Amino acid sequence: MIKIDKDGEAYWSLTVDLGVLGKFNSIFINLDGCDITGATDDMSQDERLEKATLYYGNRFKELEEHADFISEQFRMWMITHLCDIEYPFWENGDEDKGSEDYPDYIVKEEIKKFEDENEQVKHDPYSPSPIYKDIQAYNAYANKDNLSSYDIIAKYLPVLHFKKLVDTIRADSIDTYEGNINFQVSSEVCGGMLLCATYGTIYANNELEVTHNC
């Protein structure tokens, strides 16, 4: 249900579970963007709240029912984002450490294939990384074989234990505007440099778009 705080702001008081994006609490409801609820200017505040509560109760229920679809879209964005920036997600931030100190979302028997004689993975920011060679050749944007996100990683980026990386995502905040749901998530992996203040929108048709990252 919707509650009004001491500052007059409206919040959804129940938890909404959006799969890999996390569980969100205290969701800000923009009552100025509530025409979609059927509320009109001549209604009382209580009537407007009743309309908004009914609409967003159904909207959040629908989002939870489509959490798998929403989660898969976000995982696919993560894959294409990694391919676009070729972020060295395997690095631990200490060049003196060897392969035993890789993050726990790295599959060690796979990353060893890219190590030199000193058990260090070479990464030249000015040259394509061999780690990304196969997945970039596949082109996750096109995804011609219609693979799931987990299947793409398992087949073309096996150094990454994708679920362990995905599980580091934490829910930050959500707000609403009409039928759109705006979200923010983040993660502490890679020193917070890979997923930090990641913003996006879930549209009325439940399609997801990441609009800003870090």
Side-chain angles (χ1 to χ4, degrees), residues 33 38 65 152 190 193:
E65 290 173 347
I152 290 174
C190 303
M193 297 300 293

Side-chain angles (χ1 to χ4, degrees), residues 35-108:
D35 290 347
I36 198 170
T37 67
T40 57
D41 292 340
D42 59 349
M43 288 182 175
S44 68
Q45 176 77 332
D46 287 344
E47 289 175 317
R48 290 172 63 84
L49 282 176
E50 183 178 353
K51 291 281 189 182
T53 296
L54 178 61
Y55 173 81
Y56 284 110
N58 290 331
R59 182 72 180 103
F60 294 141
K61 180 180 179 181
E62 178 188 23
L63 287 173
E64 290 189 319
E65 290 173 347
H66 289 82
D68 289 345
F69 175 60
I70 291 167
S71 296
E72 178 65 358
Q73 292 179 85
F74 191 78
R75 288 192 297 263
M76 288 298 296
W77 171 81
M78 290 178 66
I79 292 173
T80 54
H81 180 62
L82 282 170
C83 290
D84 286 342
I85 66 175
E86 288 194 17
Y87 195 89
F89 56 85
W90 54 88
E91 292 186 353
N92 53 37
D94 188 340
E95 295 181 356
D96 294 329
K97 290 185 177 182
S99 60
E100 292 303 311
D101 296 293
Y102 288 119
D104 65 357
Y105 50 82
I106 297 300
V107 181
K108 292 184 174 61

Side-chain angles (χ1 to χ4, degrees), residues 58-173:
N58 290 331
R59 182 72 180 103
F60 294 141
K61 180 180 179 181
E62 178 188 23
L63 287 173
E64 290 189 319
E65 290 173 347
H66 289 82
D68 289 345
F69 175 60
I70 291 167
S71 296
E72 178 65 358
Q73 292 179 85
F74 191 78
R75 288 192 297 263
M76 288 298 296
W77 171 81
M78 290 178 66
I79 292 173
T80 54
H81 180 62
L82 282 170
C83 290
D84 286 342
I85 66 175
E86 288 194 17
Y87 195 89
F89 56 85
W90 54 88
E91 292 186 353
N92 53 37
D94 188 340
E95 295 181 356
D96 294 329
K97 290 185 177 182
S99 60
E100 292 303 311
D101 296 293
Y102 288 119
D104 65 357
Y105 50 82
I106 297 300
V107 181
K108 292 184 174 61
E109 58 269 26
E110 292 293 336
I111 199 72
K112 286 180 179 296
K113 298 175 183 178
F114 299 95
E115 292 179 346
D116 60 19
E117 63 277 7
N118 297 315
E119 296 187 333
Q120 296 293 319
V121 175
K122 294 282 190 179
H123 178 69
D124 182 352
Y126 302 104
S127 300
S129 169
I131 289 178
Y132 284 100
K133 180 180 178 181
D134 290 345
I135 195 169
Q136 288 177 328
Y138 174 69
N139 188 350
Y141 281 105
N143 194 11
K144 63 182 179 64
D145 295 332
N146 197 30
L147 300 176
S148 72
S149 56
Y150 285 122
D151 287 342
I152 290 174
I153 293 294
K155 189 171 183 178
Y156 296 108
L157 195 64
V159 300
L160 176 61
H161 193 305
F162 197 32
K163 187 177 187 306
K164 285 186 178 180
L165 179 64
V166 167
D167 286 346
T168 68
I169 297 169
R170 63 170 180 246
D172 290 336
S173 63

